[in-house]
Short mmCIF file of all heavy atoms in Angstrom, two decimals:
data_model
loop_
_atom_site.label_atom_id
_atom_site.label_comp_id
_atom_site.label_asym_id
_atom_site.label_seq_id
_atom_site.Cartn_x
_atom_site.Cartn_y
_atom_site.Cartn_z
N PRO A 8 -9.77 -64.86 -89.43
CA PRO A 8 -8.90 -63.84 -89.90
C PRO A 8 -7.92 -64.34 -90.94
O PRO A 8 -7.62 -65.55 -91.00
CB PRO A 8 -8.14 -63.41 -88.61
CG PRO A 8 -8.35 -64.50 -87.64
CD PRO A 8 -9.61 -65.20 -88.02
N HIS A 12 -2.60 -62.04 -90.30
CA HIS A 12 -2.99 -61.38 -89.03
C HIS A 12 -2.86 -62.34 -87.84
O HIS A 12 -3.19 -61.95 -86.72
CB HIS A 12 -4.41 -60.84 -89.12
CG HIS A 12 -4.62 -59.83 -90.19
ND1 HIS A 12 -5.85 -59.54 -90.72
CD2 HIS A 12 -3.72 -59.06 -90.85
CE1 HIS A 12 -5.70 -58.63 -91.65
NE2 HIS A 12 -4.41 -58.29 -91.74
N LEU A 13 -2.40 -63.57 -88.07
CA LEU A 13 -2.29 -64.52 -87.00
C LEU A 13 -0.86 -64.60 -86.43
O LEU A 13 0.13 -64.39 -87.15
CB LEU A 13 -2.63 -65.92 -87.51
CG LEU A 13 -4.01 -66.15 -88.06
CD1 LEU A 13 -4.17 -67.53 -88.69
CD2 LEU A 13 -5.07 -65.92 -87.00
N THR A 14 -0.81 -64.87 -85.12
CA THR A 14 0.52 -65.14 -84.50
C THR A 14 0.93 -66.58 -84.88
O THR A 14 0.13 -67.36 -85.37
CB THR A 14 0.48 -64.97 -82.98
OG1 THR A 14 -0.39 -66.00 -82.47
CG2 THR A 14 -0.05 -63.61 -82.57
N LEU A 15 2.20 -66.94 -84.56
CA LEU A 15 2.63 -68.30 -84.83
C LEU A 15 1.81 -69.28 -84.03
O LEU A 15 1.38 -70.35 -84.58
CB LEU A 15 4.11 -68.44 -84.45
CG LEU A 15 4.65 -69.88 -84.62
CD1 LEU A 15 4.59 -70.36 -86.04
CD2 LEU A 15 6.09 -69.92 -84.12
N ALA A 16 1.45 -68.98 -82.78
CA ALA A 16 0.66 -69.86 -81.96
C ALA A 16 -0.75 -70.03 -82.51
O ALA A 16 -1.34 -71.11 -82.47
CB ALA A 16 0.64 -69.36 -80.54
N GLN A 17 -1.36 -68.96 -83.02
CA GLN A 17 -2.67 -69.05 -83.63
C GLN A 17 -2.63 -69.82 -84.92
O GLN A 17 -3.48 -70.65 -85.22
CB GLN A 17 -3.27 -67.62 -83.86
CG GLN A 17 -3.60 -66.91 -82.59
CD GLN A 17 -3.87 -65.45 -82.85
OE1 GLN A 17 -3.20 -64.80 -83.62
NE2 GLN A 17 -4.88 -64.96 -82.15
N TYR A 18 -1.59 -69.56 -85.74
CA TYR A 18 -1.46 -70.25 -87.01
C TYR A 18 -1.20 -71.75 -86.78
O TYR A 18 -1.70 -72.58 -87.57
CB TYR A 18 -0.25 -69.64 -87.82
CG TYR A 18 -0.06 -70.19 -89.16
CD1 TYR A 18 -0.76 -69.67 -90.28
CD2 TYR A 18 0.83 -71.21 -89.43
CE1 TYR A 18 -0.57 -70.16 -91.52
CE2 TYR A 18 1.04 -71.72 -90.67
CZ TYR A 18 0.33 -71.18 -91.75
OH TYR A 18 0.46 -71.71 -93.05
N SER A 19 -0.50 -72.09 -85.71
CA SER A 19 -0.20 -73.50 -85.39
C SER A 19 -1.35 -74.21 -84.70
O SER A 19 -1.27 -75.46 -84.53
CB SER A 19 1.02 -73.54 -84.51
OG SER A 19 2.14 -73.00 -85.17
N GLY A 20 -2.41 -73.51 -84.31
CA GLY A 20 -3.54 -74.16 -83.65
C GLY A 20 -3.41 -74.26 -82.16
O GLY A 20 -4.17 -74.95 -81.51
N TRP A 21 -2.42 -73.55 -81.57
CA TRP A 21 -2.20 -73.62 -80.13
C TRP A 21 -3.07 -72.60 -79.38
O TRP A 21 -3.40 -72.84 -78.24
CB TRP A 21 -0.72 -73.39 -79.78
CG TRP A 21 0.24 -74.35 -80.42
CD1 TRP A 21 0.02 -75.64 -80.76
CD2 TRP A 21 1.54 -74.04 -80.85
NE1 TRP A 21 1.10 -76.16 -81.35
CE2 TRP A 21 2.09 -75.22 -81.38
CE3 TRP A 21 2.33 -72.91 -80.80
CZ2 TRP A 21 3.37 -75.28 -81.90
CZ3 TRP A 21 3.65 -73.00 -81.27
CH2 TRP A 21 4.14 -74.18 -81.84
N ASN A 22 -3.37 -71.48 -80.04
CA ASN A 22 -4.14 -70.40 -79.42
C ASN A 22 -5.38 -70.10 -80.24
O ASN A 22 -5.44 -70.40 -81.45
CB ASN A 22 -3.30 -69.12 -79.26
CG ASN A 22 -2.20 -69.25 -78.27
OD1 ASN A 22 -1.99 -70.28 -77.69
ND2 ASN A 22 -1.50 -68.17 -78.10
N CYS A 23 -6.38 -69.51 -79.56
CA CYS A 23 -7.62 -69.10 -80.23
C CYS A 23 -7.32 -68.09 -81.33
O CYS A 23 -6.51 -67.16 -81.11
CB CYS A 23 -8.57 -68.48 -79.17
SG CYS A 23 -10.07 -67.77 -79.89
N CYS A 24 -7.89 -68.26 -82.49
CA CYS A 24 -7.62 -67.34 -83.61
C CYS A 24 -8.23 -65.95 -83.37
O CYS A 24 -7.81 -64.99 -84.05
CB CYS A 24 -8.13 -67.91 -84.91
SG CYS A 24 -9.90 -68.02 -85.07
N TRP A 25 -9.17 -65.80 -82.46
CA TRP A 25 -9.82 -64.52 -82.20
C TRP A 25 -9.14 -63.76 -81.06
O TRP A 25 -8.81 -62.61 -81.19
CB TRP A 25 -11.28 -64.69 -81.85
CG TRP A 25 -12.05 -65.40 -82.91
CD1 TRP A 25 -12.68 -66.62 -82.72
CD2 TRP A 25 -12.28 -65.01 -84.26
NE1 TRP A 25 -13.27 -67.02 -83.94
CE2 TRP A 25 -13.05 -66.06 -84.86
CE3 TRP A 25 -11.94 -63.97 -85.03
CZ2 TRP A 25 -13.47 -66.04 -86.18
CZ3 TRP A 25 -12.35 -63.90 -86.36
CH2 TRP A 25 -13.13 -64.90 -86.93
N CYS A 26 -8.96 -64.41 -79.91
CA CYS A 26 -8.44 -63.67 -78.72
C CYS A 26 -7.04 -64.07 -78.30
O CYS A 26 -6.44 -63.39 -77.47
CB CYS A 26 -9.40 -63.88 -77.57
SG CYS A 26 -9.47 -65.57 -76.93
N GLY A 27 -6.49 -65.15 -78.87
CA GLY A 27 -5.13 -65.53 -78.51
C GLY A 27 -4.98 -66.37 -77.27
O GLY A 27 -3.89 -66.69 -76.82
N THR A 28 -6.09 -66.73 -76.62
CA THR A 28 -6.06 -67.55 -75.42
C THR A 28 -5.52 -68.93 -75.75
O THR A 28 -5.99 -69.57 -76.73
CB THR A 28 -7.48 -67.69 -74.84
OG1 THR A 28 -7.95 -66.32 -74.51
CG2 THR A 28 -7.49 -68.51 -73.54
N VAL A 51 -4.93 -72.22 -93.67
CA VAL A 51 -4.77 -73.20 -92.62
C VAL A 51 -6.02 -73.25 -91.80
O VAL A 51 -6.78 -72.28 -91.63
CB VAL A 51 -3.54 -72.80 -91.73
CG1 VAL A 51 -3.78 -71.49 -91.00
CG2 VAL A 51 -3.19 -73.91 -90.77
N GLU A 52 -6.33 -74.43 -91.21
CA GLU A 52 -7.43 -74.62 -90.30
C GLU A 52 -7.10 -73.92 -88.99
O GLU A 52 -6.01 -74.14 -88.43
CB GLU A 52 -7.68 -76.09 -90.06
CG GLU A 52 -8.87 -76.44 -89.21
CD GLU A 52 -10.20 -76.33 -89.99
OE1 GLU A 52 -10.18 -76.31 -91.22
OE2 GLU A 52 -11.23 -76.30 -89.32
N VAL A 53 -7.97 -73.06 -88.50
CA VAL A 53 -7.74 -72.38 -87.22
C VAL A 53 -8.83 -72.73 -86.24
O VAL A 53 -9.87 -73.22 -86.60
CB VAL A 53 -7.64 -70.83 -87.43
CG1 VAL A 53 -6.43 -70.46 -88.15
CG2 VAL A 53 -8.89 -70.30 -88.10
N TYR A 54 -8.53 -72.52 -84.95
CA TYR A 54 -9.42 -72.92 -83.89
C TYR A 54 -9.77 -71.76 -82.95
O TYR A 54 -9.05 -70.80 -82.88
CB TYR A 54 -8.77 -74.06 -83.10
CG TYR A 54 -8.51 -75.27 -83.95
CD1 TYR A 54 -7.33 -75.37 -84.68
CD2 TYR A 54 -9.46 -76.24 -84.16
CE1 TYR A 54 -7.09 -76.43 -85.55
CE2 TYR A 54 -9.24 -77.27 -84.99
CZ TYR A 54 -8.07 -77.38 -85.70
OH TYR A 54 -7.84 -78.43 -86.51
#
Side-chain angles (χ1 to χ4, degrees):
H12 299 159
L13 299 174
T14 66
L15 175 62
Q17 291 168 320
Y18 186 85
S19 300
W21 302 329
N22 290 2
C23 175
C24 69
W25 305 116
C26 67
T28 302
V51 65
E52 185 78 15
V53 291
Y54 299 89

